[in-house]
């Protein structure tokens, strides 16, 4: 029998819960306030559909950056429910296919010439419910109760209207928020209760092609089409097309109306097939149960006990958010629209997109190798297929478009990590060839990087950050080449991996931008920020001083030894959080001193003390970050969740370790926040974690044992965890000065 991957289990709707006694306390509203940018609606792990409410920005102030997901907790209105959403990103797109319920028949003159946002419904958060795979809201003033659930590629709605009034549904194909705009839309009535169509748009994804099939469980009494705000009287057999198309459906007697909407990147028939494959009935509660079971199956792979209910909610929700992306992109029959625009078929895997790699290479993909290992091979194969079709690996792939957003070539560490851990069937030679080709281009400052050993700040923006991230990715290429016995490539990229030395200024002890002649960029202010327009990327010199994850010991030496290194790192956390500049990056958030947990460049930094003579300071800072910057409420995330990276940091750190160098197969110890945990691993193995004497005060590691034997080092290897076993931390209120003699993780 062919081995089923995690995604295939979900596709088939197998309601298998790994631990029937598990009780999850996920709160999808965490991160929907402040700058978390998450959404509360229904989706499945790695699902194509994210069926969620959109506030719709009908009034001044309800738009922009904090509405990247379409929803923000500060709003009390909902325009409707769209079928695709981004989780925690810093740029807004998607929110495709808005379906909006309304009470009464929509008047021609009063409504049709206006934007649908103008008729948004008022609600109270007291009337909202969100759990994994399910969302409900009651619009009391209008008498409408809306429920949403989903399978992988199909969203299902259940609306209950007043029975004594007409009810309406509006499918608005022109509706768009933030960066997105429709360029070609269309809809036609295939049967009385089946409508198909498309929505093609430009935005962060520059050429998004989406097709849909919408089924109703009852015949509408009236079908009207609107184009550019005007009724279309004569509709052809193939429907209508334009950039602002709406479909208005009226049910003379209200009551219950159910809707199924299937998506596809290929064609309308693909959307129809997805509905027939995944939800071929009208049993809403059955779909809801299957969605819940799918989440239980995935979330149940990490069972943990906590110090409080609040901690349990934070942890469970972090694992939930970590599991939303990447997203399924291929249809149930394996077809998908390639990055080259052609139709391809994924034969033995599920093709995925939404690769926020600048964020997720740091921890999310390493976390997948522990609790969702079955999905990893598909992610790697999707990246390699992307490379074959476009001639480059994905950087930030959205709806299988390359957005060219962010820096580095971070598909490299993700694929190398998967290969080293034995989690992909792709050949090492194919991976290496794709990685080398990506690194040998002459774009994004790579030409000067190869010639000078650093990116020329005079000709390239974000030059310092690019140098540091290229150097890290190059270290991964060097390791893979060494593993495969390619001496020439290994040596070339090993030399490139040391390029971080070329942007370190020993006088100021900061990483800095410099021009082709070697001159440092002036003037220099280490707390200055100029968003996406300086030698740094979404940060300043303080935040970028530490990005040498593959060679921390070399970084300590560059600072002049452990004492100076610790002093500088201490200052990072204790100095004022002031930022200077006229265009400060909004991504610099969640600050402790100049440390910024709200953005990814800082995520490994608290763990860097491990390579000093005061490793217990990692335990202090990691615990402080968890306690102060992760909360159990809508404002519980201190920055963009970025497709789960912020959440993945918490899951790892709460378990007691973190992948500072995510392609090394090494997890560095911090300070566990859980009391105990059990991870179900690939092959029926399990990892049990015990934190003895765990409390808010007992944050220092006194000792560590692995399978009953003392582990006098600051790390554990993936290859050890993969065999299963018991990891026991003994915690206490005082530092363990003997731990300075423990073995530190090996570097590059």
């Amino acid at each position: 029998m062919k081995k089923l991957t995690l995604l295939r289990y979900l596709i088939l709707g197998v309601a298998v819960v790994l631990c029937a006694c598990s009780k999850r306390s996920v709160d999808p509203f965490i991160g929907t306030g402040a700058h978390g940018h998450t959404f509360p609606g229904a989706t499945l792990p790695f699902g194509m559909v994210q069926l969620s409410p959109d506030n719709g920005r009908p009034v001044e102030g309800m738009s922009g950056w904090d509405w990247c997901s379409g929803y923000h907790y500060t709003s009390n209105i909902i325009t409707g429910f769209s079928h695709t959403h981004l989780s925690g990103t810093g740029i807004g797109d998607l929110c495709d296919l808005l379906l909006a319920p309304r009470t009464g028949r929509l008047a021609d003159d009063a409504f049709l010439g206006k934007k649908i946002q103008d008729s948004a419904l008022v609600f109270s958060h007291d009337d909202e419910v969100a759990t994994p795979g399910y969302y409900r809201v009651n619009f009391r003033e209008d008498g409408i109760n809306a429920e949403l659930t989903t399978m992988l590629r199909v969203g299902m709605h259940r609306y209950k209207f007043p029975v004594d009034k007409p009810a309406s549904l509006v499918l608005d194909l022109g509706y768009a928020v933030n960066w997105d705009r429709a360029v070609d839309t269309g809809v036609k009535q295939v049967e009385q209760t089946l409508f198909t169509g498309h929505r093609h748009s430009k935005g962060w994804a520059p050429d998004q092609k989406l097709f849909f099939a919408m089924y109703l469980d009852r015949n509408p009494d009236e079908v009207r089409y609107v184009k550019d705000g005007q009724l279309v009287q004569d509709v052809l057999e193939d429907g209508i097309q334009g950039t602002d198309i709406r479909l208005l459906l009226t049910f003379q007697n209200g009551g219950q109306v159910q809707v199924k909407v299937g998506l596809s990147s290929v064609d309308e028939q693909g959307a129809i097939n997805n509905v027939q494959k995944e939800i071929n009935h009208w049993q809403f509660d059955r779909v809801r149960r299957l969605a819940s079971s799918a989440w239980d199956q995935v979330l149940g792979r990490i069972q943990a006990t906590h110090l409080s209910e609040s901690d349990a909610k934070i942890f469970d929700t972090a694992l939930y958010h970590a599991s939303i992306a990447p997203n399924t992109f291929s249809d149930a029959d394996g077809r998908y629209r390639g990055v080259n625009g052609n139709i391809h078929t994924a034969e033995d895997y599920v093709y995925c997109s939404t690769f926020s790699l600048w964020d997720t290479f740091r921890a999310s993909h390493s976390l997948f190798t522990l609790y969702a290992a079955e999905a990893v091979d598909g992610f790697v194969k999707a990246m390699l297929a992307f490379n074959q079709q476009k001639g480059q690996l994905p950087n930030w792939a959205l709806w299988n478009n390359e957005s060219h957003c962010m820096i580095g070539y971070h598909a490299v560490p993700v694929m190398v990590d998967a290969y080293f851990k034995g989690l992909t069937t792709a050949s090492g030679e194919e991976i290496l060839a794709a990685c080398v080709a990506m690194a040998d281009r002459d774009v994004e400052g790579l030409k000067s990087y190869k010639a000078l050993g650093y990116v020329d700040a005079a000709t390239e923006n974000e030059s310092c950050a690019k140098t540091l991230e290229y150097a890290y990715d190059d270290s991964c290429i060097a390791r893979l080449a060494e593993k495969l016995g390619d001496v020439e490539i290994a040596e070339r990229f090993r030399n490139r991996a040391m390029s971080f030395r070329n942007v370190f200024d020993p006088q100021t002890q900061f990483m800095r931008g410099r021009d082709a002649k070697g001159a440092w960029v002036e003037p220099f202010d280490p707390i200055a920020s100029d968003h996406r327009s300086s030698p740094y990327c979404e940060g300043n010199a303080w935040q970028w001083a530490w990005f040498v994850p593959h060679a921390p010991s070399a970084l300590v030496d560059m600072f002049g030894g452990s004492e100076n290194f610790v002093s500088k790192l201490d200052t990072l956390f204790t100095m004022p959080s002031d930022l200077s500049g006229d265009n400060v990056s909004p991504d610099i958030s969640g600050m402790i001193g100049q440390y910024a947990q709200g953005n990814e460049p800082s995520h490994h930094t608290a763990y860097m003390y491990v390579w000093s003579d005061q490793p217990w300071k990692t335990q202090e800072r990691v615990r402080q970050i968890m306690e102060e910057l992760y909360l159990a409420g809508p404002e519980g995330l201190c920055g963009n969740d970025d497709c789960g990276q912020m959440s993945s940091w918490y899951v790892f750190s709460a378990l007691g370790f973190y992948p500072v160098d995510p392609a090394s197969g090494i997890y560095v110890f911090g300070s566990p926040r859980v009391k105990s945990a059990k991870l179900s691993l690939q092959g029926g193995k399990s990892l049990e974690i015990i934190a003895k004497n765990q409390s808010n005060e007992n944050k220092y590691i006194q000792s560590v044992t692995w399978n009953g034997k003392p582990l006098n080092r600051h790390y554990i290897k993936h290859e050890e965890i993969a065999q299963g076993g018991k990891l026991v931390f003994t915690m206490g209120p005082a530092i363990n000065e003997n731990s300075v003699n423990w073995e530190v993780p090996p570097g590059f």
Side-chain angles (χ1 to χ4, degrees):
M1 179 178 177
K2 187 174 181 180
K3 182 180 179 182
L4 292 175
T5 67
L6 174 64
L7 284 168
R8 291 185 187 275
Y9 272 119
L10 298 177
I11 293 166
L12 295 173
V14 178
V16 176
V17 182
L18 295 180
C19 181
C21 62
S22 74
K23 181 181 179 182
R24 314 306 300 192
S25 53
V26 174
D27 180 3
F29 290 110
I30 290 178
T32 59
H35 305 310
H37 297 184
T38 61
F39 63 85
T43 189
L44 285 194
F46 312 129
M48 178 185 288
V49 170
Q50 306 85 35
L51 182 52
S52 189
D54 294 324
N55 298 138
R57 56 178 193 166
V59 296
E60 187 66 27
M62 292 187 179
S63 64
W65 193 55
D66 278 332
W67 270 262
C68 283
S69 75
Y71 177 100
H72 197 267
Y73 201 78
T74 56
S75 179
N76 69 337
I77 53 92
I78 289 174
T79 291
F81 308 97
S82 61
H83 292 75
T84 61
H85 291 83
L86 287 164
S87 181
T89 60
I91 297 180
D93 200 341
L94 303 186
C95 298
D96 300 292
L97 305 183
L98 183 88
L99 190 61
R102 297 292 187 267
T103 300
R105 180 187 183 276
L106 301 176
D108 294 354
D109 297 334
F111 175 82
L112 300 181
K114 299 180 180 180
K115 292 183 178 181
I116 193 171
Q117 294 96 317
D118 296 334
S119 67
L121 305 178
V122 176
F123 77 103
S124 167
H125 292 300
D126 293 338
D127 294 321
E128 275 186 302
V129 173
T131 59
Y134 176 74
Y135 174 87
R136 183 182 80 229
V137 62
N138 186 12
F139 301 104
R140 291 181 181 272
E141 292 184 11
D142 295 87
I144 301 173
N145 188 74
E147 295 177 279
L148 314 173
T149 190
T150 184
M151 287 283 95
L152 272 181
R153 306 172 182 87
V154 185
M156 190 169 187
H157 311 237
R158 180 165 68 184
Y159 299 107
K160 294 179 181 177
F161 298 93
V163 295
D164 57 347
K165 297 179 182 179
S168 295
L169 289 175
V170 183
L171 179 66
D172 192 337
L173 301 180
Y175 172 82
V177 296
N178 292 319
W179 287 256
D180 178 62
R181 64 182 178 90
V183 295
D184 179 26
T185 67
V187 63
K188 64 181 177 182
Q189 187 171 18
V190 179
E191 301 171 1
Q192 275 197 309
T193 57
L194 170 60
F195 296 83
T196 64
H198 66 273
R199 185 183 190 275
H200 300 167
S201 60
K202 293 179 67 69
W204 193 9
D207 184 20
Q208 184 194 358
K209 288 183 167 59
L210 181 148
F211 300 87
F212 69 90
M214 182 176 77
Y215 291 81
L216 308 170
D217 73 337
R218 45 186 287 203
N219 295 336
D221 296 294
E222 184 179 24
V223 178
R224 291 176 290 166
Y225 298 85
V226 179
K227 181 176 181 178
D228 299 327
Q230 301 296 319
L231 276 175
V232 178
Q233 300 297 337
D234 298 316
V235 179
L236 300 177
E237 185 176 340
D238 59 354
I240 61 171
Q241 294 191 32
T243 58
D244 186 11
I245 300 296
R246 297 180 212 164
L247 173 67
L248 308 183
L249 305 174
T250 302
F251 303 87
Q252 190 58 41
N253 299 311
Q256 179 172 292
V257 180
Q258 294 188 105
V259 186
K260 297 183 292 190
V261 180
L263 306 185
S264 171
S265 70
V266 178
D267 52 28
E268 294 171 14
Q269 187 59 50
I272 290 172
N273 293 343
N274 289 339
V275 176
Q276 294 174 343
K277 177 73 174 180
E278 295 186 3
I279 310 179
N280 61 357
H281 56 81
W282 288 104
Q283 301 175 52
F284 182 94
D285 292 328
R286 176 185 171 190
V287 177
R288 178 186 174 184
R289 287 193 297 271
L290 287 172
S292 178
S293 294
W295 275 112
D296 282 345
Q297 178 188 335
V298 174
L299 301 180
R301 293 190 170 207
I302 304 181
Q303 299 288 327
T305 60
H306 303 271
L307 297 174
S308 67
E309 292 183 6
S310 176
D311 282 358
K313 183 180 291 188
I314 294 168
F315 184 91
D316 288 351
T317 306
L319 186 58
Y320 166 78
H321 280 141
S323 308
I324 290 176
N327 300 129
T328 295
F329 192 71
S330 53
D331 287 348
D333 62 5
R335 295 186 305 154
Y336 67 93
R337 185 173 298 274
V339 67
N340 57 6
N342 298 328
I343 305 305
H344 302 266
T345 301
E347 297 289 351
D348 60 347
Y349 67 100
V350 176
Y351 188 95
C352 288
S353 188
T354 316
F355 286 112
S356 179
L357 291 167
W358 186 77
D359 308 292
T360 56
F361 90 91
R362 303 168 197 268
S364 295
H365 282 277
S366 292
L367 188 60
F368 296 151
T369 68
L370 291 178
Y371 81 99
E374 296 90 340
V376 172
D377 188 39
F379 297 157
V380 173
K381 288 181 176 177
M383 293 178 190
L384 291 172
F386 190 104
N387 180 69
Q388 292 169 358
Q389 296 161 23
K390 188 173 176 62
Q392 70 165 77
L393 291 167
N395 186 40
W396 212 125
L398 174 59
W399 202 257
N400 218 29
N401 283 220
E402 178 51 66
S403 69
H404 301 287
C405 183
M406 306 313 296
I407 64 175
Y409 27 91
H410 298 314
V412 169
V414 172
M415 296 194 302
V416 170
D417 184 47
Y419 181 77
F420 282 156
K421 291 175 178 175
L423 297 178
T424 179
T425 56
S427 73
E429 288 74 16
E430 182 182 7
I431 293 172
L432 180 62
C435 293
V436 170
M438 191 73 173
D440 276 348
R441 297 171 301 153
D442 287 332
V443 299
E444 299 290 330
L446 279 168
K447 187 173 183 179
S448 62
Y449 172 77
K450 291 182 290 185
L452 301 170
Y454 58 90
V455 176
D456 177 10
T459 60
E460 189 71 22
N461 190 36
E462 300 177 326
S463 60
C464 181
K466 286 177 179 175
T467 299
L468 295 172
E469 295 205 353
Y470 292 156
Y472 175 69
D473 292 338
D474 288 344
S475 76
C476 301
I477 297 175
R479 290 170 180 159
L480 180 58
E482 289 172 357
K483 178 77 171 179
L484 297 175
D486 194 320
V487 176
E488 185 276 325
I489 290 178
E491 182 177 1
R492 178 158 65 95
F493 281 90
R494 179 166 283 276
N495 290 333
R496 284 174 54 159
M498 304 309 289
S499 297
F500 61 87
R501 292 173 170 169
N502 300 326
V503 291
F504 183 78
D505 176 10
Q507 183 173 353
T508 62
Q509 293 198 322
F510 284 105
M511 302 290 183
R512 297 181 58 183
R514 63 194 314 184
D515 64 21
K517 295 181 180 180
W520 301 112
V521 171
E522 298 288 355
F524 176 65
D525 178 359
I527 66 169
S529 168
D530 190 357
H531 183 61
R532 305 307 305 267
S533 298
S534 78
Y536 308 103
C537 179
E538 296 186 359
N540 61 23
W542 273 106
Q543 287 132 32
W544 277 98
W546 320 99
F547 193 78
V548 188
H550 56 299
S553 294
L555 184 63
V556 172
D557 292 341
M558 288 162 55
F559 275 101
S562 185
E563 183 178 352
N564 289 341
F565 180 79
V566 169
S567 177
K568 188 87 170 187
L569 197 48
D570 284 346
T571 303
L572 171 77
F573 285 99
T574 58
M575 68 184 295
S577 297
D578 301 331
L579 300 169
S580 65
D582 297 327
N583 186 32
V584 171
S585 177
D587 296 281
I588 303 175
S589 62
M591 298 185 74
I592 301 173
Q594 285 291 317
Y595 174 86
Q597 176 66 18
N599 206 27
E600 279 66 28
S602 290
H603 276 191
H604 70 294
T605 305
Y607 287 88
M608 298 294 275
Y609 283 109
V610 163
W611 284 268
S612 77
D613 58 7
Q614 298 183 51
W616 50 84
K617 287 189 174 179
T618 281
Q619 297 155 35
E620 290 177 353
R621 292 303 182 188
V622 168
R623 185 68 74 88
Q624 179 186 8
I625 294 164
M626 285 190 282
E627 292 175 354
E628 295 181 5
L629 299 177
Y630 289 84
L631 307 173
E635 298 186 350
L637 293 175
C638 64
N640 303 164
D641 197 41
D642 285 314
C643 292
Q645 169 58 27
M646 281 277 291
S647 293
S648 296
W649 184 97
Y650 185 89
V651 173
F652 262 126
S653 295
L655 293 174
F657 47 81
Y658 186 80
V660 170
D661 175 355
S664 67
I666 288 175
Y667 306 107
V668 180
F669 292 148
S671 178
R673 184 69 177 161
V674 300
K675 294 172 65 177
S676 65
K678 185 175 182 179
L679 283 68
S680 297
L681 307 173
Q682 191 178 43
K685 303 293 179 63
S686 65
L687 168 65
E688 186 177 0
I689 299 171
I690 304 293
K692 290 183 177 179
N693 306 324
Q694 171 66 303
S695 71
N696 290 329
E697 295 75 24
N698 293 349
K699 57 189 173 187
Y700 296 103
I701 296 175
Q702 306 300 300
S703 64
V704 183
T705 63
W706 173 242
N707 290 331
K709 297 180 180 180
L711 195 66
N712 292 326
R713 47 179 155 101
H714 291 284
Y715 65 94
I716 190 168
K717 300 176 182 178
H718 181 88
E719 62 192 44
E720 294 170 326
I721 289 176
Q723 297 304 310
K726 179 183 288 188
L727 181 65
V728 179
F729 299 96
T730 299
M731 309 300 294
I735 64 174
N736 178 4
E737 294 185 358
N738 290 328
S739 66
V740 72
N741 297 316
W742 290 5
E743 181 184 343
V744 300
F748 178 69

